[in-house]
Amino acid sequence: MAVDGPVVQVRGEAYREVPPELARFAVTATARDRDREATLTRLAERAAAVRVLLDGSGPVVARRETGDLRVRPETRRSGERVVAWHGSVTTTVTVTDFTALGELMLRLADQDQVEVAGPWWELRPDSPAHREARHAAIGDALLRAREYAEALGARVTALIELADAGPAERPMFARAAFGGAGGGGGAPELELDPQPQTVQAAVQARFTISDPVLG
C-alpha cells in the first residue's frame, strides 16, 4: 500500500487490575484397601457424598466437572504382589458467589478422605475487562502518535494500520489444600480474599501525519 507523506509508528499499551469473576477449586475423594472391590465401593460412597453436598449448595456452584478417575494397585518393592488398591476421583468446581466459597470448601474438606485444593481466581473468557483493555491500548497508541506529531509541529491525519501485539494473559491464582478428617464438630469459618486479575493489551499502529515544521 503506497502512502503519501510522513508516517509515525507507535505501540499502544494498557494494563489493568480487575476483580476476578470466577473461582475454581478441585475436590478429590480417595480410598485405599487391600481388596479392590472394597476400595471401589468406598470410593463410590465418598464421591457420592461429595456430590450430595454440591447438590445442596444451590446456585453457589455455577459448574462442576468430574475429570480425573484413578484406580491403581500398590505392589511390594520386589515382585508384582498387590498389597493394596488406591482409588481417587477429582471434581473441578466453578463458583461465582465468593461470599460462600470458603464455607463450601471447608464443608467439603470435612468429609472423610477428601482433599480440597484451590481456589484459582479467573475472569470469564468474554469478560468486558478484555475489551476495555484493548480499547485503552488503542487510545494510548493514538495519544502517543499525536504527541510525536505535535513535537514535530504536525498533526495526525489518518490511520494506516492497526495490529494486535498483546502478550498472552496469565490469570493469577492462589492455592491452598485441605484434607478431610471426617467426623469433627463442624467446619470453622474461612474468609478468602479474591486476588485481582491482570489484564493487558497492546497494539501496533501506523498513522500518517501532516508535513512537519522543522525550521
Side-chain angles (χ1 to χ4, degrees):
M1 175 182 177
V3 178
D4 294 330
V7 174
V8 60
Q9 179 172 316
V10 296
R11 177 182 173 91
E13 299 177 324
Y15 174 92
R16 299 286 188 274
E17 284 193 349
V18 298
E21 299 166 341
L22 303 173
R24 302 183 193 277
F25 64 89
V27 187
T28 303
T30 62
R32 179 183 182 277
D33 196 275
R34 292 183 178 181
D35 181 73
R36 180 171 58 183
E37 293 302 322
T39 299
L40 296 176
T41 298
R42 291 179 184 177
L43 182 61
E45 291 173 349
R46 289 164 184 167
V50 168
R51 179 176 292 275
V52 169
L53 200 156
L54 291 174
D55 286 341
S57 62
V60 172
V61 174
R63 183 175 179 178
R64 69 188 191 202
E65 302 164 286
T66 302
D68 192 9
L69 171 64
R70 299 185 182 184
V71 179
R72 64 176 180 85
E74 176 186 340
T75 59
R76 292 188 180 277
R77 293 184 178 179
S78 58
E80 297 184 352
R81 180 182 176 186
V82 177
V83 296
W85 289 86
H86 296 261
S88 65
V89 58
T90 299
T91 300
T92 301
V93 182
T94 302
V95 173
T96 55
D97 181 0
F98 301 158
T99 60
L101 177 59
E103 177 188 356
L104 176 59
M105 291 179 70
L106 287 183
R107 287 174 61 197
L108 288 163
D110 196 45
Q111 302 297 303
D112 186 32
Q113 297 298 312
V114 170
E115 178 183 350
V116 179
W120 296 272
W121 308 99
E122 301 176 11
L123 294 175
R124 299 179 187 275
D126 60 348
S127 172
H130 301 302
R131 181 176 64 254
E132 292 168 3
R134 290 191 292 268
H135 287 186
I138 294 172
D140 182 57
L142 181 56
L143 176 61
R144 293 188 188 195
R146 285 172 173 166
E147 289 175 348
Y148 284 126
E150 289 172 2
L152 295 171
R155 58 185 176 82
V156 173
T157 57
L159 172 67
I160 302 172
E161 182 181 19
L162 179 67
D164 181 73
E169 295 158 1
R170 299 180 179 179
M172 299 174 63
F173 64 89
R175 180 183 177 94
F178 308 91
E189 294 183 359
L190 175 66
E191 293 186 4
L192 300 174
D193 297 320
Q195 286 190 324
Q197 300 298 288
T198 300
V199 180
Q200 295 175 299
V203 296
Q204 294 282 357
R206 297 174 65 217
F207 298 90
T208 57
I209 62 175
S210 61
D211 292 333
V213 179
L214 303 178

